[in-house]
Amino acid sequence: MRTQISFASIAGIQTDLLAVLAADTQAAKTPDARPQPALLTGDPAVQAAAAGVLSTGEFKAGSNETVLLHAPAGLAAKRLLIVGLGKQSKATIHKIRDAAGTAVRFAKPRGIREIVLALPSPENLVALSLSSSKGLPAAGPAVEGAIIADFDPDTYRSDRKDQSIQSFTLVAPPGADHAAIESALAEGVVVGESQNFARSLVNEPGNKLTPTILGQRAAEMAQQVGLACEVHSTEKLRELKMGAFWSVAQGSVEPPALIVLRYEPEGVDNGPVLHPTDKDPSVGAPVLGLVGKGITFDTGGISIKPADNMEKMKYDMAGGAAMLGAMRAIALLKPKVRVLAIVCAAENMPSGTAQKPGDVQTAMPIAPDRPGKTIEIINTDAEGRLVLADGLTFARQLGATHLIDAATLTGAISVALGKTTAGSFSNDEPAYAKFEAALRVSGEKFWRLPLGEEYADLIKSDIGDIKNAGGRYGGASIAAEFLHTFAEDTPWIHLDIAGVAWVDEAKPFVAKGPSGVAVRSILEWVRSW
Ligand code: BES
Ligand code: MN
Ligand code: ZN
């Protein structure tokens, strides 16, 4: 998709589809005055072209509601599409992201390959309480929404019709700051494409995306954007004594991949990293450690899952993919903070070499003179926390002062929060405050759930230090508390995205399939340091 900004006057723009936004003003209903949606474009020609349909009351400007006019009078565009933002009092910048996506997904099946979207004028953003000190914040989210909406998951259909949008143009309102809007567009392109990169990985089936291939895809991406990348396998896991990670990988003929990406910005203290046990995180420049669960297929192992819906478990690497997507964006947007990412990729299979319930595994030691924690395996299907335990320890050993992990970790998180809000957990208020601020930029929905000793008590083992499962109730918090044992006092955020990493029902602005959740929020968290 080519993206660009136009500073031309809207009426004269020749295009197959001109899209404009409208909000439901909820004007008082009187017998003679119907509530009319308000267009967010001040352009008089657009106002005149839309006046007729807006006065009928048949279009209410509900969220992502659309109405199409052919050959709109007074405009050079062939079609005018009005997209609703919902109630004006509740409209946010995030509604503009979705609305841009709705325009794209409206156009795709109709054979329309170019779209021009009029950005709302600053006065209208103010009316929506959407103004920002940065000038024009709508361009970034709008182009993100368009790119996200252009993604379709049908890559292996032989009759696949390429419906992708070739050209997407944002029209700046009069008086817009050219430089600010151009840079907002450029950033939005990076963000949207990075989210789609993560989605393209998650979409791949287990046979096409083994841990080894995920490692190759990460290395290719790293090369393209200029990140340092190492991909290790079995030998390195043994050398580092990653007994928890290996216990998951041991049941599969596919070797594991330990993917390490590093972003080292210029002009930031890139000096030698002290050992985590010597290092006070409040001193010196932070090193952010991103850790992702990369289970390329989760059968459950010997504690095998039921057949129904097991095919969905190809998306059990969505946390790892989110980290790769975020790293791609970080490499291109160049924040002034050091970042390292670790993706622990393995396939969880039942076999003659698979681990068994009752087995005891020894996790990676944080320092050579300290023994790794011993883990009693209660359920081989609680494998995500095992690979992450060693991933978190490795990130700390490599010098991460602050950690964030993402994982499709528990079914319990969707029982608690449903399919639209993901779970978050943290042992550190300042780091979490930054994450909450990041959510206001990304528009993604996370809800913080508790950690606590009560949960830790449920995973005490009789034979070893800890067990990997502790009953049905509070499953997401128990899993988080398991990870906490390995993050220890290092400031850490855990994101459980099991409920939201896959979109089961298409929305007007996004296809069914991988959502790419957490890429934007992790990126914004990193940029906030
Ligand atoms: N990958 C699953 C969690 C999951 C479930 C992701 C549904 C996406 C959709 C994870 O490895 C798992 O199996 N968790 C178990 C943990 C239990 C055995 C303690 C679960 O949630 O049932
Ligand atoms: Mn599992
Ligand atoms: Zn899993």
Side-chain angles (χ1 to χ4, degrees), residues 322-342:
M323 294 316 184
L324 297 177
M327 285 305 276
R328 181 187 182 277
I330 289 163
L332 295 170
L333 298 177
K334 305 195 186 324
K336 292 222 164 312
V337 60
R338 296 172 71 181
V339 189
L340 62 93
I342 292 169

Side-chain angles (χ1 to χ4, degrees), residues 94 97 144 437-445 520-521 524:
H94 308 303
R97 184 186 289 105
E144 284 168 24
L439 294 179
R440 288 193 285 277
V441 179
S442 74
E444 293 185 323
K445 288 187 177 157
R520 298 204 306 268
S521 300
E524 290 307 329

Side-chain angles (χ1 to χ4, degrees), residues 339-352:
V339 189
L340 62 93
I342 292 169
V343 178
C344 298
E347 192 179 64
N348 189 22
M349 296 290 280
S351 78

Side-chain angles (χ1 to χ4, degrees), residues 217-238:
R217 297 285 298 268
E220 279 164 29
M221 179 277 286
Q223 231 233 315
Q224 282 164 13
V225 300
L227 287 171
C229 175
E230 294 160 37
V231 183
H232 303 287
S233 191
T234 311
E235 215 169 294
K236 186 76 172 181
L237 266 62
R238 278 207 222 303

Side-chain angles (χ1 to χ4, degrees), residues 238-307:
R238 278 207 222 303
E239 183 194 312
L240 294 168
K241 300 199 169 66
M242 289 182 154
F245 184 0
W246 172 250
S247 77
V248 178
Q250 73 180 56
S252 174
V253 292
E254 291 295 340
L258 171 62
I259 304 167
V260 186
L261 297 173
R262 287 172 216 254
Y263 168 72
E264 306 274 348
E266 282 163 36
V268 175
D269 171 19
N270 291 343
V273 167
L274 298 173
H275 194 270
T277 48
D278 310 327
K279 188 151 183 168
D280 176 349
S282 61
V283 182
V287 179
L288 307 181
L290 280 44
V291 182
K293 170 177 174 180
I295 300 298
T296 57
F297 197 80
D298 182 12
T299 64
I302 294 297
S303 315
I304 198 164
K305 288 181 181 291

Side-chain angles (χ1 to χ4, degrees), residues 103-186:
V104 165
R105 294 199 70 74
F106 179 93
K108 290 186 76 162
R110 292 172 172 84
I112 300 166
R113 296 285 163 265
E114 56 164 38
I115 302 180
V116 172
L117 173 69
L119 283 174
S121 49
E123 315 84 74
N124 281 313
L125 288 177
V126 174
L128 291 172
S129 321
L130 294 180
S131 60
S132 128
S133 54
K134 280 191 188 165
L136 264 170
V143 77
E144 284 168 24
I147 291 172
I148 291 163
D150 203 26
F151 179 98
D152 273 302
D154 58 347
T155 40
Y156 291 101
R157 282 185 73 144
S158 18
D159 65 346
R160 181 175 210 246
K161 296 185 202 78
D162 184 13
Q163 300 188 331
S164 45
I165 299 296
Q166 281 156 12
S167 169
F168 181 79
T169 306
L170 289 173
V171 187
D177 174 343
H178 285 218
I181 201 165
E182 292 281 7
S183 81
L185 175 94

